[in-house]
């Protein structure tokens, strides 16, 4: 998955700290906007993802869906947009309000379609970057209740409503990839 994210993100990159790649919609951060990653592949002459890349991605999505269904006791879940890779770079300051990923939020309010959130880490919070922990906060959005240190392959599942306000702590150095 790291190679898939790197291949797509190499064609873009946000001006501020975060870069987003959504393979389902084809959206890729580029400077201060989004571009179509498939058009970027065509324009660059770079071949898009291999059949193996697509199979690996599809298998991971299937396994995450299965774990979420089992964890929450539901069936027939659909992973909806946005389903994306995110890279947060500690060496690039925010350029727009959308680059300020560290504000407390609730996923159903931010994305609308979310009932459950699945977050799969692809980088190590003690090796690849500093900061960038996922922090769940109290109902007043003030006091941290729990912090999750990213580890490659760690999957965090939680319901996306008001019961789980959270944020990502600011990445101080390196690159956080999820």
């Amino acid at each position: 998955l790291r190679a898939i994210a790197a291949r797509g993100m190499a064609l873009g990159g946000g001006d501020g700290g975060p870069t987003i790649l959504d393979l389902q919609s084809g959206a890729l951060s580029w400077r201060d906007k989004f571009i179509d990653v498939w058009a970027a592949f065509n324009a660059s002459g770079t071949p898009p993802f291999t059949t193996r890349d697509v199979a690996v991605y599809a298998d991971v999505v299937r396994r995450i869906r299965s774990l979420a269904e089992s964890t929450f006791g539901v069936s027939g879940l659909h992973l909806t947009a946005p389903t994306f890779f995110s890279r947060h770079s500690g060496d690039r300051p925010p350029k727009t309000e959308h680059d300020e990923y560290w504000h407390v939020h609730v996923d159903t309010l931010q994305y609308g379609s979310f009932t459950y959130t699945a977050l799969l880490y692809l980088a190590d919070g003690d090796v690849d970057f500093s900061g960038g922990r996922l922090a769940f906060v109290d109902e007043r959005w003030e006091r941290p209740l729990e912090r999750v240190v990213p580890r490659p392959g760690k999957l965090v599942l939680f319901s996306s409503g008001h019961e789980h306000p959270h944020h990502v702590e600011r990445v101080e150095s390196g690159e956080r990839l999820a």
Side-chain angles (χ1 to χ4, degrees):
L1 288 180
R2 284 179 70 117
I4 293 169
R7 185 177 185 101
M9 289 181 175
L11 298 172
D15 279 343
T19 296
I20 304 296
L21 171 61
D22 185 340
L23 291 182
Q24 291 183 352
S25 72
L28 171 64
S29 302
W30 186 70
R31 297 187 180 161
D32 63 349
K33 62 184 177 184
F34 283 92
I35 61 171
D36 183 331
V37 71
W38 308 114
F41 274 124
N42 288 337
S44 72
T46 304
F49 305 105
T50 66
T51 302
R52 171 118 173 86
D53 292 339
V54 173
V56 166
Y57 179 77
D59 183 55
V60 170
V61 168
R62 180 194 57 76
R63 290 175 19 201
I64 290 172
R65 180 185 309 113
S66 177
L67 282 167
E69 288 177 339
S70 173
T71 299
F72 297 112
V74 297
S75 61
L77 282 181
H78 299 281
L79 299 183
T80 61
T83 301
F84 56 86
F85 294 102
S86 65
R87 180 181 68 208
H88 297 98
S89 299
D91 62 344
R92 294 181 23 213
K95 300 289 185 181
T96 72
E97 66 183 41
H98 301 291
D99 293 340
E100 296 180 0
Y101 54 84
W102 53 83
H103 298 290
V104 175
H105 65 276
V106 171
D107 286 348
T108 53
L109 297 177
Q110 187 159 343
Y111 299 111
S113 62
F114 282 26
T115 303
Y116 305 105
T117 298
L119 180 59
L120 179 63
Y121 291 106
L122 303 176
D124 193 313
D126 289 331
V127 176
D128 301 314
F129 62 94
S130 63
R133 296 175 297 181
L134 175 65
F136 292 95
V137 297
D138 66 12
E139 65 279 352
R140 291 167 50 193
W141 294 27
E142 296 172 350
R143 186 175 52 88
L145 299 176
E146 184 171 348
R147 290 184 174 99
V148 178
V149 176
R151 300 276 183 250
K154 180 184 275 187
L155 177 65
V156 179
L157 298 169
F158 57 95
S159 55
S160 305
H162 290 282
E163 66 280 2
H164 287 118
H166 62 281
H167 67 102
V168 172
E169 295 173 342
R170 195 170 186 160
V171 175
E172 301 300 328
S173 65
E175 289 187 344
R176 178 186 188 271
L177 184 62

